[in-house]
């Protein structure tokens, strides 16, 4: 299989040019410079696509990529070195080393909600790993996709990194039908993730899938309710709820529901004012299709707060919803918007059952002051990652692996985990010639007791 436009990338990779430490470090520094050089254009694009303020653009997009580059540059030299490991008695006097080998030409596909960092953080890992990369930005954030293409084409040679634009449903299968990529990194929705996994399986291409799902925020009766309300509001309404790790719904102990709702209302008012549509800090829904889907959810419960919408401005107010049925669409689909259903529970078992209706959430958030409850929840649930007494910030810590499990994906990103994702462990045993016992060679007749002594 070959596509003439990717063949030069394969040749470039095979030339070994991307493997040295100095090349990788230089390219990461170039990327950092390019991002800082284009920061104003990036901010304009993110405002155009999602109405992000420049502060939010830095804190949730540009700054995260810069921090990832800085963190990786601090550690890359030691990560690249082959690691000497132990050797068993059978192999005496050999030595053993593990090399971290780049895969080759990797394909990175990103969604529209954090259209810059969800494309470039994986790119940083791919470059650090010594790979060439093809980037497929989301067509639904076109201004950001355009500035990314401009920046990448100015910064890197097309044999090393290139951007392919277009409708994912046609462009991605077409690329994968004509060229065998060596690794595939996909961030996006579960249904598309499944179809991409199938395409990759056909050619045995290893994958990392960063998907979505319904991430709960559980608030126990012993939680600090004021802090819980503030941190849930931030995680839910930043980027207008269009965040893969946003708390999708709240599951609060019935005895503290009223108090939590009162504090949530206060925090929403405090963050976004009386009219969030006019707020500097409140963005917009990505497009009409998503707007229509989200406003449909508003009919599935009783509005406790918010609920105002304006299709012409793609505006949906930060909204709290109660009396939502577990069978309603809003409780069976990832909401991915600024609507927060509030459900109550009376016992751990009942709460666990609600969460397990949508298994393997990408994130899980627990608010409690009780260590035993903390351990109980963490030990009882399968989830990608999460926080105790906080939301979403786990994403920004490069020391923590980021990724889903089961329905929310597979594989990890960020910091060393990105480097590990974009490299393969290549083990090598090296044997000197000064000692070569005949016992290892045929005929084996009569050597059983020796084998049983040495192989155990
Ligand atoms: P999406 O799956 O529609 O699109 C993501 C990318 O896939 C885009 O580049 C698109 O062009 C491409 N694409 C679309 N259809 C395709 C097809 N049939 N074949 C191949 N490629 C195709 O996702 P989205 O709507 O852009 O993003 C929202 C989803 O992403 C949510 O479910 C969210 O939870 C998830 N997400 C996950 C993470 C994470 O890190 N786990 C981060 C952000 C978003």
């Amino acid at each position: 299989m070959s596509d003439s436009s990717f063949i030069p990338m394969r040749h470039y990779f095979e030339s070994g040019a991307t493997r040295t430490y100095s090349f990788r470090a230089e390219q990461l520094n170039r990327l950092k410079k390019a991002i800082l050089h284009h920061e104003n254009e990036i901010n304009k694009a993110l405002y155009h696509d999602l109405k992000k303020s420049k502060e939010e653009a830095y804190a949730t997009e540009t700054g995260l990529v810069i921090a990832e580059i800085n963190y990786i540059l601090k550690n890359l030299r030691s990560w690249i070195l082959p690691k000497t490991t132990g050797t068993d008695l059978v192999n005496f006097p050999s030595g053993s080393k593990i090399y971290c080998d780049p895969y080759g030409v990797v394909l990175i596909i990103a969604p529209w909600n954090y259209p810059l960092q969800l494309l470039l953080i994986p790119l940083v890992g791919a470059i650090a790993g010594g790979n060439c990369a093809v980037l497929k930005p989301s067509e639904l954030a076109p201004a950001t996709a355009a500035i990314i293409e401009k920046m990448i084409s100015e910064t890197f040679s097309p044999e090393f990194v290139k951007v392919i634009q277009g409708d994912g449903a046609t462009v991605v299968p077409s690329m994968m039908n004509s060229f065998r990529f060596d690794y595939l990194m996909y961030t996006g929705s579960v249904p598309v993730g499944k179809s991409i996994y199938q395409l990759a399986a056909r050619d045995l291409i290893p994958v990392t899938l960063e998907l979505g799902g319904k991430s709960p925020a559980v608030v126990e009766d012993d939680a600090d309710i004021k802090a819980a309300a503030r941190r849930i509001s931030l995680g839910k309404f930043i980027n207008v709820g269009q965040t893969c790790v946003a708390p999708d719904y709240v599951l609060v102990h019935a005895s503290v529901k009223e108090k939590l709702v009162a504090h949530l209302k206060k925090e929403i008012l405090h963050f976004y004012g009386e009219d969030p549509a006019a707020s500097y800090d409140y963005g917009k829904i990505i497009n009409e299709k998503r707007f229509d889907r989200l406003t449909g959810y508003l009919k599935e419960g009783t509005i406790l707060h918010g609920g105002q919408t304006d299709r012409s401005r793609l505006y949906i107010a930060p909204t709290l919803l109660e009396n939502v049925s577990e069978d309603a669409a809003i409780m069976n689909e990832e909401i991915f918007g600024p609507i927060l259903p509030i459900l109550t529970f009376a016992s751990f078992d009942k709460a666990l059952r609600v969460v397990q209706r949508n298994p393997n959430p990408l994130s899980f958030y627990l608010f409690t002051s009780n260590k035993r409850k903390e351990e109980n929840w963490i030990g009882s649930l399968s989830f990608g990652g999460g926080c105790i007494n906080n939301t979403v910030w786990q994403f920004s810590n490069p020391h923590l692996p980021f990724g889903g499990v089961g329905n929310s994906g597979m594989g990890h990103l960020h910091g060393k985990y990105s480097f590990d994702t974009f490299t393969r462990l290549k083990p090598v045993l090296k044997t000197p010639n000064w000692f070569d016992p005949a016992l290892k060679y045929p005929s084996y007749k009569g050597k059983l007791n020796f084998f049983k002594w040495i192989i155990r």
Side-chain angles (χ1 to χ4, degrees):
M1 272 195 284
S2 64
D3 175 320
S4 54
S5 66
F6 298 129
I7 285 172
M9 301 186 86
R10 167 87 66 232
H11 290 158
Y12 191 63
F13 175 72
E14 285 171 354
S15 76
T18 63
R19 286 178 177 259
T20 63
Y21 167 76
S22 58
F23 178 87
R24 302 184 206 192
E26 188 193 329
Q27 304 310 314
L28 291 174
N29 277 312
R30 287 169 71 98
L31 181 60
K32 182 162 83 173
K33 254 196 202 150
I35 292 170
L36 294 172
H37 177 70
H38 288 289
E39 192 177 347
N40 285 339
E41 287 166 272
I42 291 171
N43 288 345
K44 275 187 200 150
L46 289 168
Y47 188 85
H48 176 275
D49 290 333
L50 287 148
K51 197 177 164 267
K52 288 190 198 202
S53 68
K54 61 178 188 293
E55 291 82 359
E56 191 175 319
Y58 188 81
T60 67
E61 302 251 19
T62 326
L64 293 184
V65 185
I66 300 290
E68 178 81 353
I69 293 175
N70 289 339
Y71 180 80
I72 286 189
L73 279 173
K74 257 188 227 146
N75 296 286
L76 187 58
R77 198 187 281 277
S78 70
W79 293 346
I80 285 179
L81 290 177
K83 307 288 175 299
T84 301
T85 187
T87 304
D88 60 345
L89 189 57
V90 176
N91 286 297
F92 177 82
S94 304
S96 302
K97 275 189 182 169
I98 303 172
Y99 293 79
C100 295
D101 216 29
Y103 278 97
V105 183
V106 306
L107 173 59
I108 300 171
I109 305 171
W112 50 264
N113 59 328
Y114 290 87
L116 184 92
Q117 58 105 337
L118 290 174
L119 195 65
L120 297 191
I121 286 182
L123 174 65
V124 172
I127 294 175
N131 301 278
C132 296
V134 174
L135 306 181
K136 162 66 184 80
S138 171
E139 67 277 21
L140 301 184
T144 313
I147 179 63
I148 288 173
E149 182 170 15
K150 179 179 168 207
M151 188 169 75
I152 294 293
S153 63
E154 283 172 9
T155 309
F156 300 120
S157 75
E159 303 82 39
F160 177 46
V161 184
K162 83 198 275 181
V163 173
I164 299 290
Q165 303 275 14
D167 170 15
T170 49
V171 165
V172 172
S174 149
M175 282 195 284
M176 292 183 69
N177 285 334
S178 60
F179 184 80
R180 187 197 182 277
F181 289 94
D182 300 298
Y183 199 91
L184 198 150
M185 161 76 237
Y186 169 78
T187 305
S189 63
V190 174
V192 174
K194 284 182 183 171
S195 78
I196 284 189
Y197 197 16
Q198 280 175 348
L199 278 175
R202 193 191 55 190
D203 292 325
L204 291 177
I205 300 172
V207 296
T208 289
L209 301 174
E210 298 285 2
L211 310 178
K214 290 189 84 60
S215 302
V218 172
V219 183
E220 294 277 7
D221 54 0
D222 52 23
D224 177 333
I225 300 296
K226 194 167 179 286
R230 193 184 318 126
R231 295 169 187 180
I232 291 171
S233 299
L234 175 80
K236 179 68 181 185
F237 299 114
I238 193 163
N239 205 27
V240 197
Q242 302 167 118
T243 302
C244 59
V245 288
D248 185 273
Y249 61 97
V250 164
L251 196 48
V252 55
H253 194 276
S255 64
V256 289
K257 178 191 168 188
E258 293 313 318
K259 192 173 170 194
L260 179 71
V261 168
H263 278 288
L264 284 169
K265 288 180 184 176
K266 245 191 233 166
E267 294 300 342
I268 293 170
L269 198 68
H270 182 222
F271 289 174
Y272 306 112
E274 292 288 349
D275 179 16
S279 168
Y280 179 79
D281 294 297
Y282 197 66
K284 66 179 174 94
I285 305 300
I286 187 74
N287 56 30
E288 281 81 6
K289 192 173 159 203
R290 287 290 313 153
F291 176 93
D292 294 342
R293 176 87 156 262
L294 287 165
T295 48
Y297 293 147
L298 293 174
K299 300 177 194 96
E300 296 188 323
T302 311
I303 292 173
L304 276 169
H305 182 84
Q308 301 81 1
T309 65
D310 179 349
R311 196 170 193 270
S312 68
R313 290 195 284 171
L314 295 171
Y315 168 70
I316 300 177
T319 298
L320 307 177
L321 215 59
E322 67 174 348
N323 298 326
V324 174
S325 152
E326 280 183 21
D327 298 319
I330 194 171
M331 285 312 298
N332 292 281
E333 295 166 4
E334 181 182 3
I335 299 170
F336 219 55
I339 305 168
L340 185 63
I342 315 274
L343 284 75
T344 57
F345 70 93
S347 70
F348 171 79
D349 290 345
K350 290 213 170 108
L352 190 64
R353 195 187 56 77
V354 172
V355 175
Q356 284 175 336
R357 279 175 62 100
N358 294 284
N360 320 123
L362 179 60
S363 307
F364 175 71
Y365 304 117
L366 176 66
F367 292 84
T368 182
S369 54
N370 182 316
K371 185 95 181 101
R372 201 178 42 78
K373 286 185 184 170
E374 198 181 303
E375 297 302 335
N376 204 17
W377 273 106
I378 293 175
S380 305
L381 258 191
S382 161
F383 59 91
C387 300
I388 306 294
N389 296 327
N390 213 336
T391 67
V392 305
W393 286 100
Q394 78 277 18
F395 186 92
S396 68
N397 178 358
H399 301 275
L400 287 176
F402 177 74
V405 55
N407 293 296
S408 52
M410 61 186 75
H412 292 109
L413 281 180
H414 294 176
K416 174 68 160 58
Y417 303 97
S418 276
F419 177 81
D420 292 344
T421 285
F422 287 105
T423 52
R424 206 206 128 252
L425 297 180
K426 191 160 81 174
V428 176
L429 185 88
K430 181 174 172 182
T431 309
N433 295 325
W434 59 265
F435 181 63
D436 202 13
L439 278 164
K440 282 189 162 182
Y441 298 93
S443 165
Y444 295 126
K445 196 165 180 199
K447 295 179 182 169
L448 183 60
N449 283 343
F450 172 73
F451 286 166
K452 285 197 171 175
W453 174 75
I454 203 160
I455 305 171
R456 60 200 154 99

